[in-house]
Amino acid sequence: MATNTNQVQLNQAAAPEGFESWAWKWMRYSGLLLIPLAWGHVLIQDILVGVHAIDLDYVALRWASLGWRVYDFLLLAFAFAHGVNGLRQVLNDYIRSDTTRKRVTWLLFILWLVLSLIGAAAIVGGVRAP
Amino acid sequence: MESLKLNILGMARYRGREGQLSFILHRLAGLGTLLFLAVHILDTSTVYFFPSLYEHAIDIYRSTPFMLGEIALVFAVIYHGVNGARIALFDLFIPDRWNVETQRKSAYWSLGIAIVLWLPAAYMMGRSMLVHNFGL
């Protein structure tokens, strides 16, 4: 049998547990969960229903069922945290100064918190009459 | 800025082939989706905070440029999901199978699966755009 010259010897030493290690795992596990959550959302809203059929009444009807509110809440929580952490990881590849990294991390954390709270408030509060 | 310029030049020069290209496509798809998601959280939140603005926001999404963007966005979401599943499955369950050969093959597989899943979606969204925006 010919040996595979491309075989890479992986260093299997355990990485130290820490924030980055958790973030690494978070991206993979939340990503796997987001496949049914985000794809389901896209399939229903973008492909089957379509933006021309979506209005305030449609949202109100959908959010009349608690199940869809829970679904949207999970999607908001997992997708946005996955996305903002992804942006943090991309930016960390380009930022060399530790101070800038810390500042950017805090800025992203605040952005994540504010938008998540706004979105969560809307899901809990529901559709109001215009 | 300087390091960003250096990185973009490096990306163009570095001949990492399939692995590097799927890495770049994965990041662009993810960042594009995040940009839309941030806007989308805000526009949907208007149903509670400023309900009269919601219809305006949806009207923008109904325009042709945004519907074309939506078709691109759906490709980004599908590709990022398929390729992300590839990364997660290798990393979490079969890390010893990461090598140039499996990476190359699986990168092609994820692009192929993403295109196959996207085509019917693009057809349906494209048809909806022609029906609603061009009176077909």
Side-chain angles (χ1 to χ4, degrees):
Chain A
M1 206 176 88
T3 46
N4 187 350
T5 47
N6 285 328
Q7 194 72 44
V8 177
Q9 281 297 314
L10 288 177
N11 184 358
Q12 297 282 9
E17 289 287 317
F19 176 73
E20 290 302 339
S21 157
W22 282 107
W24 187 91
K25 282 178 198 156
W26 161 257
M27 291 311 268
R28 278 141 190 88
Y29 285 111
S30 67
L32 288 175
L33 184 72
L34 278 165
I35 292 175
L37 276 178
W39 286 10
H41 179 76
V42 166
L43 177 67
I44 297 168
Q45 314 305 344
D46 295 82
I47 299 165
L48 297 177
V49 175
V51 71
H52 285 271
I54 293 174
D55 55 16
L56 272 181
D57 290 341
Y58 175 79
V59 183
L61 193 70
R62 225 166 69 82
W63 281 357
S65 103
L66 180 68
W68 283 119
R69 284 201 199 207
V70 172
Y71 186 104
D72 286 358
F73 186 85
L74 288 174
L75 189 55
L76 170 71
F78 280 92
F80 199 51
H82 180 98
V84 173
N85 188 52
L87 176 58
R88 187 187 64 86
Q89 290 179 335
V90 171
L91 289 175
N92 276 356
D93 279 355
Y94 301 96
I95 299 170
R96 293 194 194 148
S97 131
D98 272 344
T99 334
T100 319
R101 264 190 201 183
K102 269 183 194 146
R103 281 188 194 143
V104 166
T105 301
W106 273 106
L107 209 70
L108 288 177
F109 174 74
I110 292 165
L111 173 87
W112 167 77
L113 189 67
V114 170
L115 277 183
S116 294
L117 287 176
I118 290 174
I123 294 173
V124 173
V127 179
R128 291 195 305 166
Chain B
M1 255 309 118
E2 196 54 37
S3 82
L4 186 69
K5 205 174 126 194
L6 212 66
N7 262 287
I8 290 167
L9 281 175
M11 272 181 190
R13 268 194 216 125
Y14 181 69
R15 284 186 268 181
R17 296 185 41 173
E18 294 87 344
Q20 186 208 7
L21 289 174
S22 71
F23 168 85
I24 295 171
L25 193 54
H26 191 77
R27 286 198 156 184
L28 288 176
L31 292 174
T33 305
L34 176 66
L35 177 66
F36 172 74
L37 176 59
V39 176
H40 183 48
I41 290 171
L42 292 175
D43 70 59
T44 303
S45 300
T46 61
V47 303
Y48 176 70
F49 293 101
F50 309 100
S52 58
L53 286 182
Y54 187 69
E55 304 279 348
H56 291 292
I58 292 297
D59 264 343
I60 295 170
Y61 288 138
R62 285 174 182 160
S63 68
T64 304
F66 275 80
M67 287 193 84
L68 289 172
E70 187 189 22
I71 296 173
L73 171 72
V74 170
F75 179 76
V77 172
I78 293 174
Y79 179 75
H80 195 82
V82 175
N83 196 54
R86 173 176 81 99
I87 296 168
L89 292 177
F90 270 93
D91 275 353
L92 296 174
F93 304 114
I94 42 169
D96 52 320
R97 298 281 303 277
W98 267 135
N99 59 55
V100 174
E101 211 46 55
T102 56
Q103 165 136 224
R104 205 163 271 170
K105 270 189 209 149
S106 60
Y108 277 119
W109 271 104
S110 48
L111 184 62
I113 292 168
I115 291 173
V116 167
L117 290 174
W118 174 69
L119 283 176
Y123 170 77
M124 289 181 74
M125 287 186 291
R127 205 179 58 135
S128 163
M129 183 182 81
L130 291 176
V131 167
H132 288 101
N133 293 12
F134 296 93
L136 217 73

